[in-house]
Amino acid sequence: MNPDAIWNVLNNAVAAGGVPGVATAVSDARGTLFEAAAGVTMLGGEQKVDADTLFWIASMTKPVTSLAAMQLVEQGRLDLDAPVGDLLPELKHPRILEGGKLRPARRPITLRHLLTHTAGFSYAFASAEYAAYLTAQPNPPAFGTRAALDAPLLFEPGERWEYGLGVDWAGLAVEAASGLNLEAYFQKHIFGPLGMADTSFMPTAAQLARRAALHKRQADGSLAATPPAALTVPEVFSGGGGLYSTLRGYQKFLRVFLTAGAGIVTAGTITEMTRNQIGGLRAGYLPSANPALFVGADVNPGQHNQWGLGFIIYPGKGRFGRNAGSFGWAGMANTYFWVDPAAKLAAVMMMQILPSGDAGAMKTLIGFERAMYAMPQ
């Protein structure tokens, strides 16, 4: 690792207008090896980004929900391969969208399908067909409502990999099996034991005072800040994308995967979560039906990417340094993490920029990864 090079990447990105603020860290099983942050929480403001800045981590929620589900699998309260419709009646008779019409699915959905994005769900920002169907509904449900999850499938469960709503449904399965809402479950069984006091669906007023604003890339390449809005309790806590966390807090979660479960799951569960779960299917291609929100990309071009229970698995050496067998994922507003078992390291980078996959954010991420694996000068 070259700390000076990481600092240069962050400071240059802020100075060039590539990002308004960014926080990065590298951890091993014992704790933090390196932390760095640059820039401000909102353009035009004076509050500096640091390790305790609160970020919306969006889809970096998914591995947390996956871990919660696996805790309940260990206890026999959830089953990876039983029809999940037995627990969630809304999924008892799934429908598939074909040519603008709905037909019954021939296969049941399982928890394993939900956690591996092979259930058949998509997102409107990634599928034009999905977006057209949802827009055509007489009263399209609002985000954060349970009705917003009542979407059809695009293919038979297990037929292919497509990024979508499955982990939100897995979150509802955790609630149904545990008798707790997702916020209460996470706090009691994951965040409390790990000391993640700043990770929540509903941060306190004091935590929100440290929140980074969301920034949107403009047509001229500049960034414009959207001041943080007040939070309201949603009808459904989104197991697929609702959490807020900090650089310091999320490192504690990642160390679960460097310490054989950190005492909250077994080593066997970590092995199961980090092995390929989708056979010969390829993960990681995400098209875009809404470029203002999501650029769309092949996450790891040139490799036959795999998927575990909560993250992509890189079968070969990464282009920018990470080793074969590394696994990770990202959040909509350009937050990123990966765990590298061969190097016994975990890395996290947090920004708050739209669209996801923004060129300035990606340049910063690539620079960070290269510097992380570089030798000091």
Side-chain angles (χ1 to χ4, degrees):
M1 182 168 59
N2 188 332
D4 289 341
I6 295 176
W7 277 111
N8 287 338
V9 167
L10 305 191
N11 290 328
N12 290 342
V14 170
V19 301
V22 54
T24 61
V26 181
S27 300
D28 65 8
R30 293 169 294 181
T32 301
L33 296 176
F34 177 81
E35 284 180 345
V40 292
T41 58
M42 185 168 70
L43 283 177
E46 297 181 357
Q47 187 176 52
K48 301 292 187 182
V49 172
D50 61 26
D52 294 316
T53 296
L54 195 71
F55 293 86
W56 172 49
I57 62 170
S59 286
M60 281 167 54
T61 305
K62 288 180 170 72
V64 181
T65 303
S66 300
L67 187 74
M70 291 304 293
Q71 287 180 322
L72 295 170
V73 169
E74 284 187 353
Q75 298 165 26
R77 298 161 78 182
L78 284 176
D79 187 317
L80 280 170
D81 297 308
V84 76
D86 293 344
L87 186 66
L88 300 173
E90 300 95 327
L91 298 184
K92 185 76 171 177
H93 303 289
R95 302 158 299 157
I96 294 178
L97 179 63
E98 286 185 345
K101 297 181 180 180
L102 299 176
R103 68 160 177 87
R106 294 185 291 272
R107 302 175 193 160
I109 297 171
T110 67
L111 179 61
R112 196 184 303 272
H113 290 142
L114 296 177
L115 296 179
T116 57
H117 299 287
T118 59
F121 291 108
S122 187
Y123 280 120
F125 65 77
S127 168
E129 182 181 14
Y130 228 49
Y133 172 81
L134 296 174
T135 301
Q137 301 309 301
N139 297 295
F143 178 79
T145 64
R146 186 151 181 156
L149 302 181
D150 186 22
L153 311 182
L154 294 183
F155 52 88
E156 289 287 344
E159 188 175 83
R160 68 177 195 254
W161 185 93
E162 181 148 348
Y163 195 55
L165 294 164
V167 184
D168 280 287
W169 283 107
L172 293 177
V174 168
E175 293 188 342
S178 69
L180 298 173
N181 69 44
L182 217 52
E183 171 75 357
Y185 185 93
F186 285 177
Q187 296 297 340
K188 182 175 182 179
H189 297 288
I190 298 177
F191 302 152
L194 295 178
M196 296 172 63
D198 279 334
T199 306
S200 174
F201 288 104
M202 294 299 300
T204 65
Q207 290 166 334
L208 289 173
R210 295 184 266 118
R211 179 168 44 156
L214 191 62
H215 296 77
K216 295 183 180 180
R217 188 72 65 183
Q218 306 300 297
D220 64 0
S222 66
L223 287 165
T226 302
L231 296 183
T232 58
V233 179
E235 182 183 346
V236 174
F237 289 117
S238 172
L243 283 175
Y244 292 82
S245 190
T246 65
L247 181 76
R248 192 155 286 160
Y250 206 77
Q251 290 178 74
K252 295 177 181 179
F253 175 72
L254 295 183
R255 285 197 284 272
V256 170
F257 299 94
L258 294 172
T259 56
I264 63 170
V265 290
T266 66
T269 287
I270 296 300
T271 298
E272 183 70 11
M273 292 183 72
T274 57
R275 75 172 181 86
N276 181 35
Q277 298 279 339
I278 62 172
L281 299 178
R282 184 183 187 275
Y285 176 67
L286 292 84
S288 176
N290 185 350
L293 185 64
F294 180 71
V295 171
D298 188 338
V299 172
N300 187 31
Q303 292 195 26
H304 192 87
N305 310 309
Q306 303 166 346
W307 195 268
L309 297 174
F311 19 66
I312 197 169
I313 301 171
Y314 300 90
K317 179 78 171 178
R319 293 174 293 161
F320 310 115
R322 69 188 74 181
N323 291 296
S326 296
F327 53 89
W329 200 234
M332 174 67 75
N334 288 287
T335 59
Y336 299 89
F337 80 89
W338 70 91
V339 178
D340 187 334
K344 299 181 181 179
L345 297 174
V348 60
M349 169 171 274
M350 293 188 173
M351 300 167 277
Q352 294 286 265
I353 303 170
L354 290 177
S356 185
D358 169 75
M362 293 305 299
K363 181 179 179 180
T364 310
L365 174 67
I366 291 167
F368 168 54
E369 182 174 345
R370 283 177 166 155
M372 174 181 160
Y373 288 97
M375 296 298 292
Q377 299 300 310

